[in-house]
Amino acid sequence: MKITVFGATGQTGQHVLQAALDKGYEVTALVRNPDKVDAALRIQHAKQLKLVQGDILDGEAVSKALTGSEGFIFAVGPVKGSPPDLPERAAQTVLAAAKQVGVSRFVWLLGAGVVDSRDEPDKIRKVMQALMRVFAKSLLESSQKAYDQIIQSGMDYTVVRPPVLSNKATQGSLTASYKPPKPSAISRADLGEFMVNALTEEQWRAESPMVAYA
């Protein structure tokens, strides 16, 4: 399978990239700085991995990275210096480019603070969302706008919404549902594997589950 990964040098995206390559996929990764991709990984998977240099808000670069792919995984997250409206602007750019080149299937990473109408009510989550509206209001609002674009796009989406993430080693399989998870961290390695698997799994098409350990 040929896929594109956005955010492949990020803390979560690097695990997405590794999981996709381990499954034998041919991967095109859009990166701002190719030198940030592990040199050993590039050598080991030289026949599978193609790097396209560019920015996630550059529609031409995004289209180039998507051309020829059967699906894509979006794992771009905000970093120091990112514009506060990055999530919605990135969604607008990537979805438009995907439609242009004819790539409909994708898995998109957003936070558990994003609301879906299918979510089960939960008091703890309401408190967490209230805190986010105080300390990360712009990011939360922009992420929600990005989500609205995704579900209104008419495309073949899966949105994955994890709680707090950690850099710990893999800890096991993740479960997914609309029941808010406990506010405990999950491994980025496990999340990366879940997202790669979700790309070809039928049960989460047009779904936006929150993920957690069983």
Side-chain angles (χ1 to χ4, degrees):
M1 186 175 186
K2 297 181 179 180
I3 72 169
T4 299
V5 174
F6 297 108
T9 60
Q11 291 189 82
T12 300
Q14 61 184 304
H15 294 289
V16 171
L17 178 61
Q18 183 70 66
L21 292 170
D22 288 345
K23 286 182 75 70
Y25 290 169
E26 294 180 39
V27 181
T28 298
L30 177 70
V31 293
R32 286 181 295 176
N33 183 357
D35 291 337
K36 287 189 175 182
V37 179
D38 182 73
L41 187 74
R42 293 171 65 175
I43 294 171
Q44 181 182 358
H45 298 282
K47 294 183 179 180
Q48 294 172 255
L49 179 60
K50 175 184 177 183
L51 302 180
V52 173
Q53 187 169 9
D55 188 86
I56 195 64
L57 300 180
D58 181 347
E60 185 175 343
V62 172
S63 294
K64 182 179 179 181
L66 284 168
T67 299
S69 289
E70 299 166 71
F72 69 88
I73 299 177
F74 182 96
V76 176
V79 296
K80 187 177 181 179
S82 296
D85 59 350
L86 176 63
E88 61 190 286
R89 290 173 61 192
Q92 183 177 13
T93 301
V94 174
L95 295 177
K99 288 181 179 180
Q100 182 181 21
V101 301
V103 180
S104 181
R105 177 67 183 137
F106 63 88
V107 175
W108 199 287
L109 176 63
L110 287 172
V114 170
V115 176
D116 183 277
S117 60
R118 295 164 287 190
D119 293 342
E120 296 180 19
D122 182 80
K123 292 181 179 179
I124 295 178
R125 186 167 182 242
K126 286 184 177 180
V127 172
M128 297 300 294
Q129 288 172 327
L131 290 172
M132 288 189 68
R133 283 192 288 270
V134 173
F135 296 105
K137 181 180 180 181
S138 295
L139 176 60
L140 181 61
E141 290 180 346
S142 187
S143 296
Q144 191 67 50
K145 290 177 181 178
Y147 181 63
D148 293 342
Q149 291 183 54
I150 291 167
I151 63 174
Q152 294 168 11
S153 68
M155 300 172 72
D156 188 5
Y157 72 87
T158 298
V159 175
V160 178
R161 297 179 292 156
V164 180
L165 299 174
S166 79
N167 292 318
K168 293 181 179 179
T170 180
Q171 299 177 55
S173 299
L174 296 174
T175 60
S177 72
Y178 289 97
K179 181 179 180 180
K182 296 179 181 179
S184 57
I186 64 174
S187 163
R188 287 186 168 89
D190 292 329
L191 178 61
E193 183 175 1
F194 180 90
M195 292 178 68
V196 171
N197 290 336
L199 190 63
T200 55
E201 291 179 352
E202 293 293 329
Q203 64 174 329
W204 295 115
R205 289 179 182 266
E207 302 284 0
S208 308
M210 290 176 275
V211 292
Y213 293 111

PDB file of all heavy atoms in Angstrom, residues 67-87:
ATOM      1  N   THR A  67       0.300  12.827  -4.188  1.00  0.00           N
ATOM      2  CA  THR A  67       0.138  12.250  -5.521  1.00  0.00           C
ATOM      3  C   THR A  67       0.618  10.799  -5.565  1.00  0.00           C
ATOM      4  O   THR A  67       1.741  10.490  -5.192  1.00  0.00           O
ATOM      5  CB  THR A  67       0.903  13.089  -6.566  1.00  0.00           C
ATOM      6  OG1 THR A  67       0.372  14.417  -6.578  1.00  0.00           O
ATOM      7  CG2 THR A  67       0.754  12.483  -7.956  1.00  0.00           C
ATOM      8  N   GLY A  68      -0.261   9.912  -6.001  1.00  0.00           N
ATOM      9  CA  GLY A  68       0.067   8.497  -6.110  1.00  0.00           C
ATOM     10  C   GLY A  68      -0.243   7.669  -4.877  1.00  0.00           C
ATOM     11  O   GLY A  68      -0.106   6.441  -4.900  1.00  0.00           O
ATOM     12  N   SER A  69      -0.675   8.324  -3.793  1.00  0.00           N
ATOM     13  CA  SER A  69      -0.973   7.601  -2.556  1.00  0.00           C
ATOM     14  C   SER A  69      -2.409   7.075  -2.545  1.00  0.00           C
ATOM     15  O   SER A  69      -3.292   7.634  -3.196  1.00  0.00           O
ATOM     16  CB  SER A  69      -0.749   8.501  -1.332  1.00  0.00           C
ATOM     17  OG  SER A  69       0.625   8.730  -1.119  1.00  0.00           O
ATOM     18  N   GLU A  70      -2.616   6.016  -1.766  1.00  0.00           N
ATOM     19  CA  GLU A  70      -3.952   5.439  -1.601  1.00  0.00           C
ATOM     20  C   GLU A  70      -4.649   5.961  -0.355  1.00  0.00           C
ATOM     21  O   GLU A  70      -5.850   5.741  -0.165  1.00  0.00           O
ATOM     22  CB  GLU A  70      -3.836   3.916  -1.521  1.00  0.00           C
ATOM     23  CG  GLU A  70      -3.227   3.291  -2.765  1.00  0.00           C
ATOM     24  CD  GLU A  70      -2.821   1.850  -2.518  1.00  0.00           C
ATOM     25  OE1 GLU A  70      -3.722   0.991  -2.385  1.00  0.00           O
ATOM     26  OE2 GLU A  70      -1.595   1.576  -2.465  1.00  0.00           O
ATOM     27  N   GLY A  71      -3.914   6.616   0.500  1.00  0.00           N
ATOM     28  CA  GLY A  71      -4.460   7.178   1.732  1.00  0.00           C
ATOM     29  C   GLY A  71      -3.374   7.947   2.447  1.00  0.00           C
ATOM     30  O   GLY A  71      -2.202   7.908   2.055  1.00  0.00           O
ATOM     31  N   PHE A  72      -3.765   8.651   3.508  1.00  0.00           N
ATOM     32  CA  PHE A  72      -2.755   9.389   4.257  1.00  0.00           C
ATOM     33  C   PHE A  72      -3.086   9.410   5.739  1.00  0.00           C
ATOM     34  O   PHE A  72      -4.223   9.180   6.149  1.00  0.00           O
ATOM     35  CB  PHE A  72      -2.576  10.817   3.722  1.00  0.00           C
ATOM     36  CG  PHE A  72      -3.741  11.755   3.945  1.00  0.00           C
ATOM     37  CD1 PHE A  72      -3.853  12.508   5.111  1.00  0.00           C
ATOM     38  CD2 PHE A  72      -4.713  11.916   2.974  1.00  0.00           C
ATOM     39  CE1 PHE A  72      -4.906  13.392   5.307  1.00  0.00           C
ATOM     40  CE2 PHE A  72      -5.779  12.794   3.156  1.00  0.00           C
ATOM     41  CZ  PHE A  72      -5.875  13.534   4.322  1.00  0.00           C
ATOM     42  N   ILE A  73      -2.047   9.662   6.521  1.00  0.00           N
ATOM     43  CA  ILE A  73      -2.192   9.803   7.972  1.00  0.00           C
ATOM     44  C   ILE A  73      -1.659  11.174   8.370  1.00  0.00           C
ATOM     45  O   ILE A  73      -0.526  11.531   8.026  1.00  0.00           O
ATOM     46  CB  ILE A  73      -1.441   8.696   8.728  1.00  0.00           C
ATOM     47  CG1 ILE A  73      -2.007   7.325   8.360  1.00  0.00           C
ATOM     48  CG2 ILE A  73      -1.536   8.919  10.243  1.00  0.00           C
ATOM     49  CD1 ILE A  73      -1.273   6.151   9.003  1.00  0.00           C
ATOM     50  N   PHE A  74      -2.481  11.915   9.089  1.00  0.00           N
ATOM     51  CA  PHE A  74      -2.118  13.255   9.522  1.00  0.00           C
ATOM     52  C   PHE A  74      -1.801  13.215  11.008  1.00  0.00           C
ATOM     53  O   PHE A  74      -2.677  12.951  11.831  1.00  0.00           O
ATOM     54  CB  PHE A  74      -3.276  14.223   9.253  1.00  0.00           C
ATOM     55  CG  PHE A  74      -2.983  15.655   9.613  1.00  0.00           C
ATOM     56  CD1 PHE A  74      -2.539  16.547   8.652  1.00  0.00           C
ATOM     57  CD2 PHE A  74      -3.153  16.112  10.914  1.00  0.00           C
ATOM     58  CE1 PHE A  74      -2.268  17.873   8.977  1.00  0.00           C
ATOM     59  CE2 PHE A  74      -2.890  17.435  11.251  1.00  0.00           C
ATOM     60  CZ  PHE A  74      -2.446  18.318  10.276  1.00  0.00           C
ATOM     61  N   ALA A  75      -0.532  13.486  11.339  1.00  0.00           N
ATOM     62  CA  ALA A  75      -0.098  13.459  12.744  1.00  0.00           C
ATOM     63  C   ALA A  75       0.645  14.739  13.109  1.00  0.00           C
ATOM     64  O   ALA A  75       1.541  14.723  13.952  1.00  0.00           O
ATOM     65  CB  ALA A  75       0.785  12.239  12.996  1.00  0.00           C
ATOM     66  N   VAL A  76       0.260  15.831  12.479  1.00  0.00           N
ATOM     67  CA  VAL A  76       0.892  17.124  12.748  1.00  0.00           C
ATOM     68  C   VAL A  76       0.311  17.707  14.034  1.00  0.00           C
ATOM     69  O   VAL A  76      -0.910  17.780  14.190  1.00  0.00           O
ATOM     70  CB  VAL A  76       0.674  18.101  11.584  1.00  0.00           C
ATOM     71  CG1 VAL A  76       1.253  19.479  11.923  1.00  0.00           C
ATOM     72  CG2 VAL A  76       1.292  17.556  10.303  1.00  0.00           C
ATOM     73  N   GLY A  77       1.176  18.129  14.917  1.00  0.00           N
ATOM     74  CA  GLY A  77       0.741  18.769  16.152  1.00  0.00           C
ATOM     75  C   GLY A  77       1.416  20.114  16.317  1.00  0.00           C
ATOM     76  O   GLY A  77       2.427  20.397  15.668  1.00  0.00           O
ATOM     77  N   PRO A  78       0.876  20.965  17.165  1.00  0.00           N
ATOM     78  CA  PRO A  78       1.482  22.280  17.372  1.00  0.00           C
ATOM     79  C   PRO A  78       2.828  22.173  18.074  1.00  0.00           C
ATOM     80  O   PRO A  78       3.024  21.332  18.945  1.00  0.00           O
ATOM     81  CB  PRO A  78       0.453  22.999  18.251  1.00  0.00           C
ATOM     82  CG  PRO A  78      -0.247  21.898  18.985  1.00  0.00           C
ATOM     83  CD  PRO A  78      -0.314  20.765  18.022  1.00  0.00           C
ATOM     84  N   VAL A  79       3.759  23.003  17.652  1.00  0.00           N
ATOM     85  CA  VAL A  79       5.063  23.102  18.304  1.00  0.00           C
ATOM     86  C   VAL A  79       5.310  24.572  18.644  1.00  0.00           C
ATOM     87  O   VAL A  79       4.530  25.442  18.268  1.00  0.00           O
ATOM     88  CB  VAL A  79       6.197  22.564  17.396  1.00  0.00           C
ATOM     89  CG1 VAL A  79       6.019  21.084  17.137  1.00  0.00           C
ATOM     90  CG2 VAL A  79       6.240  23.332  16.080  1.00  0.00           C
ATOM     91  N   LYS A  80       6.373  24.825  19.360  1.00  0.00           N
ATOM     92  CA  LYS A  80       6.691  26.192  19.738  1.00  0.00           C
ATOM     93  C   LYS A  80       6.811  27.072  18.500  1.00  0.00           C
ATOM     94  O   LYS A  80       7.532  26.746  17.558  1.00  0.00           O
ATOM     95  CB  LYS A  80       7.998  26.221  20.537  1.00  0.00           C
ATOM     96  CG  LYS A  80       8.331  27.580  21.109  1.00  0.00           C
ATOM     97  CD  LYS A  80       9.595  27.536  21.947  1.00  0.00           C
ATOM     98  CE  LYS A  80       9.916  28.904  22.533  1.00  0.00           C
ATOM     99  NZ  LYS A  80      11.148  28.875  23.369  1.00  0.00           N
ATOM    100  N   GLY A  81       6.075  28.156  18.484  1.00  0.00           N
ATOM    101  CA  GLY A  81       6.103  29.061  17.348  1.00  0.00           C
ATOM    102  C   GLY A  81       5.023  28.815  16.316  1.00  0.00           C
ATOM    103  O   GLY A  81       4.896  29.583  15.358  1.00  0.00           O
ATOM    104  N   SER A  82       4.239  27.740  16.479  1.00  0.00           N
ATOM    105  CA  SER A  82       3.154  27.463  15.532  1.00  0.00           C
ATOM    106  C   SER A  82       2.058  28.513  15.672  1.00  0.00           C
ATOM    107  O   SER A  82       1.770  28.974  16.777  1.00  0.00           O
ATOM    108  CB  SER A  82       2.551  26.077  15.796  1.00  0.00           C
ATOM    109  OG  SER A  82       3.482  25.060  15.574  1.00  0.00           O
ATOM    110  N   PRO A  83       1.418  28.886  14.563  1.00  0.00           N
ATOM    111  CA  PRO A  83       0.300  29.821  14.674  1.00  0.00           C
ATOM    112  C   PRO A  83      -0.848  29.172  15.444  1.00  0.00           C
ATOM    113  O   PRO A  83      -1.064  27.955  15.336  1.00  0.00           O
ATOM    114  CB  PRO A  83      -0.086  30.089  13.212  1.00  0.00           C
ATOM    115  CG  PRO A  83       0.456  28.926  12.452  1.00  0.00           C
ATOM    116  CD  PRO A  83       1.695  28.499  13.179  1.00  0.00           C
ATOM    117  N   PRO A  84      -1.599  29.946  16.236  1.00  0.00           N
ATOM    118  CA  PRO A  84      -2.669  29.362  17.050  1.00  0.00           C
ATOM    119  C   PRO A  84      -3.780  28.713  16.235  1.00  0.00           C
ATOM    120  O   PRO A  84      -4.491  27.850  16.739  1.00  0.00           O
ATOM    121  CB  PRO A  84      -3.191  30.558  17.859  1.00  0.00           C
ATOM    122  CG  PRO A  84      -2.767  31.762  17.081  1.00  0.00           C
ATOM    123  CD  PRO A  84      -1.464  31.404  16.458  1.00  0.00           C
ATOM    124  N   ASP A  85      -3.909  29.114  14.979  1.00  0.00           N
ATOM    125  CA  ASP A  85      -4.952  28.534  14.127  1.00  0.00           C
ATOM    126  C   ASP A  85      -4.398  27.465  13.181  1.00  0.00           C
ATOM    127  O   ASP A  85      -5.021  27.152  12.161  1.00  0.00           O
ATOM    128  CB  ASP A  85      -5.654  29.635  13.324  1.00  0.00           C
ATOM    129  CG  ASP A  85      -4.695  30.419  12.422  1.00  0.00           C
ATOM    130  OD1 ASP A  85      -3.465  30.238  12.551  1.00  0.00           O
ATOM    131  OD2 ASP A  85      -5.184  31.219  11.593  1.00  0.00           O
ATOM    132  N   LEU A  86      -3.252  26.886  13.537  1.00  0.00           N
ATOM    133  CA  LEU A  86      -2.645  25.865  12.679  1.00  0.00           C
ATOM    134  C   LEU A  86      -3.582  24.707  12.368  1.00  0.00           C
ATOM    135  O   LEU A  86      -3.670  24.279  11.203  1.00  0.00           O
ATOM    136  CB  LEU A  86      -1.356  25.340  13.308  1.00  0.00           C
ATOM    137  CG  LEU A  86      -0.667  24.188  12.552  1.00  0.00           C
ATOM    138  CD1 LEU A  86      -0.213  24.640  11.179  1.00  0.00           C
ATOM    139  CD2 LEU A  86       0.524  23.647  13.353  1.00  0.00           C
ATOM    140  N   PRO A  87      -4.306  24.135  13.353  1.00  0.00           N
ATOM    141  CA  PRO A  87      -5.150  22.975  13.027  1.00  0.00           C
ATOM    142  C   PRO A  87      -6.161  23.242  11.906  1.00  0.00           C
ATOM    143  O   PRO A  87      -6.287  22.440  10.976  1.00  0.00           O
ATOM    144  CB  PRO A  87      -5.857  22.680  14.360  1.00  0.00           C
ATOM    145  CG  PRO A  87      -4.889  23.156  15.391  1.00  0.00           C
ATOM    146  CD  PRO A  87      -4.285  24.409  14.805  1.00  0.00           C
TER     147      PRO A  87
END
